[in-house]
Each structure stands twice: as structure tokens, then as C-alpha cells.
Amino acid sequence: MKEQLAEIIAKNVEGLSPDDILSLLEVPPKPELGDYAFPCFRLAKTMHKAPNLIAEDLKAAITGSLDFIDEIKVQGAYCNFYIKKDLFVKTMLEAACKENFGGSDTGAGQAICIDYSSPNVAKNFHVGHLRTTIIGNSLYKIYSKLGYTVHRINHLGDWGTQFGKLIVAYKNWGSKEAVEERGIAELMELYVKFHTEAEQDETLIEQARAWFVKMEQGDEEALSIWQWFKDISMIEYRRAYQLLGVEFDSYNGESFYRDKTPAIIERLENAHLLKESEGAYIVDLEEYDMAPCIIKKADGGSIYATRDLAAIFYRKETYDFVKCLYVTGQEQKLHFAQVFKVIELLGNDWAASQLIHIPYGLVSLEGAKLSTRSGNIIYAEDILLEAISKVKEVIEEKNPELENKDEVAKMVGVGAIIFNDLYNQRIKDVSFKWEKILNFEGETGPYVQYTYARCSSLLRAVPDFDEAADVDYSLVTDLEAMELLKAINKFPKAVADAAEKYEPFLISRFAIEVAQAFNRFYNSSRINVPETNIRNARLKLTAVTRKTLRDALALLGIDCPEQM
Ligand code: ARG
């Protein structure tokens, strides 16, 4: 309808194409102002007429020529179009019923790499990693819905001099049993111990360096201890991933690129980009107002940035990506700017548009009283488990009869954390206030899930209702029903915008808008009424709401319980 409207407006004005008009056509902020509004300001210049007169003439010219238009009103410089309600409802409902509603195939045949989560082996999976995991997973779902082939890459921090230190600490003060029993907590303590001891004993640093050199040279003992630390760490990471329902296509971390860095150094040399500086090798980026990108340390050790350079070429060759996204905290902004610039300087003009750093804000834990395992370190897993147990308490109290309490508590508890994380722009800090996150009536995950469960229960109550059947659309043209449908119909735009801006919060806001609109509809009209026609029409709207809420939450990485 919007297209047809744009088409006919274009025929009756000067200087604007149907596409221009399509992007100018607005959905008025209030339903009293109609379903579409066309602002005539921009035409005043080309048509040498006052905008309100243009609007009047447009009204006169179009009236009667489109059968779906009920009325046209001129308000100020706007031409407001009122669509015939039953036709409008029919179009919107039919669109929303489609299988892949909200999605598209814009990305067909194109690959996107998303590098996210990527914890540092032997270090805990903390709240910051929780954010990258949640954001990355949502971007994966969003891009997949648009038809892209998405490669989910966990670029584990599993290489570097810290492993030399860890081996020395383990050999001096560790035990196999303690590491096996306490996992990462033990490894972190060993690491801390190394640093306190090294203050007294300088030879420790030398030993650590020697062990890392052994690792780089493929020494069997060194590598087997390293691999073991990695396996121990992965057990804990996987527990968090399982709670979150997150998976990866590749765990090629930093160690994977260790034999691919010499080629990078060679490329840089050939391009005359490598400079010696105090024994180290760097790429000078002064011209771009950046600190130099260090490629090789004075002691010959390879580093983080070099492995990232290698990873980019590897990914480009392996996946032929149109975009490679990096979801990490803001503190790595400079690192990525440097690495991307070096790639560009190597003659890859795609770097600027295809390599994208996606930073996010901090997590503040005030108000989230958490029992910590060791010291003041907050494990992501503990936050998730705490959320689940809090939800379980609520369920025990409010719905003790519920059959699959544990399953529902997990969906709602984890969903609450994810939703809270994705409810604002990425760059904003996220705060943890349990009362807020878990409030079933606030702008929260549980509220949307609750609305979904309400839709499910309404549909369960009428088992013979056929979702696919046509209904009498004129029976759901009341204000609340129309507002609900209009909210639902924003889904495709929300998904496209979220992808374009790398902002999942556009989806969570959308879900809240639909849930609120549904609850207004639900409060204004009883759904399960005796009149079959009315009941079916309202149930159809309920079914479409249910499907849309489920699909929107799925894009955030949240599951929906049928009852809660
Ligand atoms: N391991 C890093 C960290 O925990 C994140 C790695 C991000 N990805 C990358 N390709 N550099 O901070």
C-alpha cells in the first residue's frame, strides 16, 4: 500500500521520485492523524507554492483513485492518509503471518564473520565477556535472519608470555589435583602468586620467558601443560555457553595463528612498512595520529596484534567475508584501529569498510550482591545461576503447580540477564539491579516472556482454532488492535536497522512495544468470546503476536516458555 501510495503521489508532484516519496512517507505519531502522512515542505521550492496548498492540491488529485484509501485530510503542510481499516488489517496480518516475517534475503550468498566472546585462557569468564557473548550471539541471529552466512568465531586468548609464567608457577607451587578440582580459580591464583614471588626472585621472569620460547618452538612438555590449562578452562567456558545457549563454529584462537605470523612479517617487510625501534619491530602510524603498531617484541616474541593481522588474512581467504565484526570492550579501540590500518596499508582497500570494531560499555555491579568464589572476582556463570535461582523462588511462590519449573526458571533467569544487557545502546554501561531486571511488569525480558506465555495460554484455551484460516478482518479494526498490528509491522525495519547499526537494542525495544500493545489490546477486548467470528479474529491477532514475540526474542538469544 505504501508503495502504491508513493507511486501515485509521485505522479502528482514535481521533482520527487517514488523512492524519494517512499522515504518521506511517515507513520504519524498519533492514530488520529491517519496511517500515513506525506510532508509537503520539501516541494515548496520546486513547485513554487506554499506547502499547505500543495497538500490541498494533492488531496484533490488523489481522492478517489486508490481503493484502499478511506479518507485524505490536510493538516498544515501534511497530507494525511486514512487507509480503509479492514484492508489495512488484512495486509498487515498477512504480512506478519509469513514464515520469515521480519527477515529477508538481502544477505544471501554473503559471509559475515563475528569474532566474539573470546575469553583469555586460564582467566575467568567475567561479566565483560558475558556482554561480548550476548551481543555477538544476537548479531549472529540478526544477520542470519537477513540471509547472511554467519561464521561465529571464538578467538580464544590462548597464546602469549603469560603461559610461560603460568607453567613456572604451576611447576613451583601448583598441584595437579588442585588445578583439576578448582579449575580457573586455581590457575588465577597461581598467576597472582607468580607475580608476587617474581618481585623477590628475578630469575622467575627469565624462566617464564624460557618456557614460552619452548612453547613457540613446539616443545612437547610445554605444549602439553599449556593444552591441559586450556582444556581445564574450556570446561568452565562451555558451562557458561550452555547456560546462555551460545555456540561457535570455530574456536581458532590466538594459538592457531602462531605459525602464520612469520608470513605477516614478510609481507610487512616487502611493503617496506616494518621499522626497527628499540630492538622491536613496529609499523609507524604517526601519520594517522596513532601510536605505532608493535609487530614483534625486542625479545623476538610474537604478539596479540600480529596474530590479529594473521587472523584477518586467514578469515578473508577462508570465509571470503563481506564484513568481519569484532565485539570487544572499548579499551581495545586503539588496538583494532591500528590493526585495521596496517591491513589497509598493505594494500587492502576493503579494510576500512569491512573490518568493524563493535565496542560496548562497562558492567556495573552495584546492588548485585554476589557470592564470589575467590577474592572479588565476579564469574559470569555465577550471575546466571543466581538469576535462575531467584526466578525459581518467584515461580515456587506464584505458580507452584508449574510442571517444568527448572526449565522455565532457566529461560526466564537467563533471558532476564540477556534482555537487560541488550536493552540500551551497546556503548552505554549496564547496571545490575535484580529488582529491575527481574520485574515481570517492567521493560524486561520476563515481561515479554510473560506476554508470550499469555498468548500461548489464550490459544491453548481454544484448541480447535486454526491459525492459518482467514478471518473477518473488519472485526479487529478497533484502536487497540490496529495499534498492535502497526507495532508488529515494524519488525522488518527493526531487524534491518539493528543489523545496519550493529544494535540489538532496537530489537528489544521493538519486543517491548509489541508486548505493551498486546496487553493494551488484551485489556480492552476479551478474546475468548462466544461469537466465533470475533473470537477467531482476535485469536488470529494473538497468534501473530505470539509468533512475533517469539521470533524477536530469538534474535536476542532468548527462549520463550509456554507457561510461567
Ligand atoms: N581475548 C581478548 C580479551 O579477552 C578478546 C579478543 C578479541 N578478538 C580479537 N580478534 N582480538 O580481551
Side-chain angles (χ1 to χ4, degrees), residues 192-203:
V192 171
K193 181 145 176 99
F194 177 90
H195 285 279
T196 25
E197 296 289 328
E199 276 170 27
Q200 319 298 327
D201 179 357
E202 280 172 17
T203 66

Side-chain angles (χ1 to χ4, degrees), residues 115 117-120 126 129 155-157 254 304 308 311 315 326-328 331-332 335-336:
D115 175 321
S117 197
S118 312
N120 295 321
H126 57 69
H129 288 121
H155 188 82
L156 289 172
E254 292 187 48
Y304 184 53
D308 258 328
R315 289 173 191 171
Y326 295 80
V327 189
T328 78
E331 68 284 353
Q332 297 200 37
H335 162 75
F336 286 111

Side-chain angles (χ1 to χ4, degrees), residues 16 35 102 183 196 380 413:
L16 290 177
D35 303 300
T196 25

